Amino acid sequence: DVKVTQSSRYLVKRTGEKVFLECVQDMDHENMFWYRQDPGLGLRLIYFSYDVKMKEKGDIPEGYSVSREKKERFSLILESASTNQTSMYLCASSLGTGVAETQYFGPGTRLLVL
Amino acid sequence: RKEVEQDPGPFNVPEGATVAFNCTYSNSASQSFFWYRQDCRKEPKLLMSVYSSGNEDGRFTAQLNRASQYISLLIRDSKLSDSATYLCVVTVSGGYNKLIFGAGTRLAVHP
């Protein structure tokens, strides 16, 4: 079974704080993704990585950065948290880049920025 | 216009009912199609892929109409455990496996 874990289920941070969200997968997957999910909008891709130290912007990268120093770990960083970044953050991984590849999701982190 | 559109619901149905969800997508270059299921406060999980010829998995049937850019999911003999949000997902080839998610349709099955 693929397992994707995220460091926190719930986080409360203050505006302006630097926030780190960690994601780890145990299936040696090449690709990792960060999404945010908001009511009525569905999941939106923030960043993804197809290899160690590689990253690509998704649809909504502004205000975020990522780091992938090891294959199994993909971190999402909010450099200066803002209230509009309150959301559910979901990490995912997939084995390859084929269009039919299944993505496996972590349990999500609910972030509240006050 | 959203790239993937779904009726948000909720669909409230009794156990044993048949329920159908529809989804439309705007990009004619979309290549692969899926339904994911997301339980309340949980992560999305793949329910089934959708093939051009249509496919069935137990009580679930998925259909794709490329000409109309339309995908459907039919659930027969609904169970209480089917209560969840169903996400329509398409992929567009662009050098990587980019999934585009609909906002989801919520299903509530009641006794």
Side-chain angles (χ1 to χ4, degrees):
Chain A
D1 261 5
V2 176
K3 191 161 185 188
V4 181
T5 57
Q6 295 182 228
S7 50
S8 305
R9 292 301 302 272
Y10 301 94
L11 271 181
V12 181
K13 296 291 181 181
R14 297 204 175 274
T15 302
E17 280 193 76
K18 192 168 185 175
V19 182
F20 293 87
L21 303 182
E22 298 275 320
C23 175
V24 178
Q25 50 92 6
D26 66 358
M27 285 301 292
D28 202 34
H29 281 176
E30 300 292 329
N31 306 295
M32 297 187 75
F33 307 83
W34 274 106
Y35 295 88
R36 62 178 283 177
Q37 184 175 28
D38 301 289
L41 294 178
L43 279 78
R44 292 179 291 167
L45 182 64
I46 303 171
Y47 266 98
F48 71 99
S49 168
Y50 52 87
D51 201 354
V52 175
K53 296 193 186 294
M54 304 301 289
K55 61 185 179 183
E56 293 284 344
K57 291 180 180 179
D59 298 318
I60 51 164
E62 296 79 19
Y64 303 94
S65 61
V66 290
S67 171
R68 193 162 181 207
E69 296 296 318
K70 293 185 177 181
K71 191 175 185 180
E72 67 272 17
R73 188 178 297 269
F74 192 35
S75 302
L76 180 70
I77 302 148
L78 286 67
E79 295 290 343
S80 176
S82 62
T83 54
N84 62 13
Q85 291 179 310
T86 290
S87 188
M88 166 75 115
Y89 290 88
L90 288 156
C91 175
S93 71
S94 69
L95 180 61
T97 56
V99 290
E101 291 281 352
T102 301
Q103 289 191 12
Y104 297 88
F105 286 85
T109 296
R110 287 193 177 274
L111 173 66
L112 172 62
V113 182
L114 300 173
Chain B
R1 185 187 168 189
K2 291 180 183 176
E3 291 189 78
V4 178
E5 298 216 48
Q6 297 182 249
D7 181 341
F11 285 60
N12 293 300
V13 303
E15 276 186 288
T18 295
V19 61
F21 307 137
N22 302 320
C23 166
T24 58
Y25 60 94
S26 60
N27 190 334
S28 59
S30 298
Q31 293 188 276
S32 297
F33 308 89
F34 308 92
W35 285 100
Y36 276 67
R37 171 193 168 129
Q38 186 172 23
D39 292 316
C40 188
R41 298 190 174 275
K42 294 286 183 73
E43 72 273 22
K45 292 184 179 178
L46 179 67
L47 176 66
M48 59 196 300
S49 301
V50 186
Y51 303 117
S52 295
S53 55
N55 49 298
E56 192 173 302
D57 183 1
R59 297 181 293 109
F60 298 83
T61 300
Q63 297 276 356
L64 166 65
N65 184 323
R66 283 188 185 270
S68 301
Q69 296 182 199
Y70 168 96
I71 305 158
S72 65
L73 177 68
L74 182 77
I75 305 176
R76 289 181 300 279
D77 189 23
S78 300
K79 312 289 185 192
L80 295 176
S81 57
D82 293 335
S83 297
T85 297
Y86 291 83
L87 306 175
C88 177
V89 183
V90 306
T91 65
V92 179
S93 177
Y96 65 94
N97 178 17
K98 179 176 178 177
L99 300 187
I100 302 170
F101 287 81
T105 297
R106 194 154 63 89
L107 172 65
V109 182
H110 57 82

